[in-house]
Amino acid sequence: MPHFVIDCSKNIIKIKSPEEIIQKVYDTAESTELFDKGDIKVRINPFEYYTIGNTKDDFIHIFANIMEGRTATQKRNLSEKIISELKSMFPDVPIISINIRDFEKATYCNKSMV
């Protein structure tokens, strides 16, 4: 925990490498001190086929899934820091966004828990 899943247009990984993008999101999430360093997971899904308002404009959207318990202010800070860093990396990309969803502790399970 947490998981940051980056969806983006395929052209994004031609501008910067997937590794560079993943590392930027990882480092930014780590800098908030909301998560243990070894727990942060980041992956990227570049899309060749998509439409954005009936265009092929480039985009980046991050789905952040974190364990419940952080305040709205902490989550807002996390969102703004990640978007600010990506905006600096991709100044010409028109759509850069994120949303944060909470995992419920009561329903979360992984293999070490069973």
Side-chain angles (χ1 to χ4, degrees), residues 64-104:
N65 299 287
I66 68 174
M67 187 58 73
E68 66 183 349
R70 276 63 175 213
T71 67
T73 301
Q74 289 172 317
K75 291 187 272 188
R76 179 72 182 177
N77 182 53
L78 173 63
S79 293
E80 289 178 353
K81 282 188 171 192
I82 290 173
I83 295 306
S84 292
E85 291 295 330
L86 292 175
K87 184 178 174 182
S88 293
M89 284 180 81
F90 300 97
D92 297 325
V93 173
I95 300 166
I96 303 175
S97 56
I98 185 171
N99 69 291
I100 297 178
R101 298 181 281 204
D102 288 339
F103 282 109
E104 290 182 341

Side-chain angles (χ1 to χ4, degrees), residues 9 12 52 55-60 90-97:
S9 51
I12 295 298
I52 303 291
T55 74
K56 291 299 260 177
D57 289 347
D58 286 323
F59 74 95
I60 301 170
F90 300 97
D92 297 325
V93 173
I95 300 166
I96 303 175
S97 56

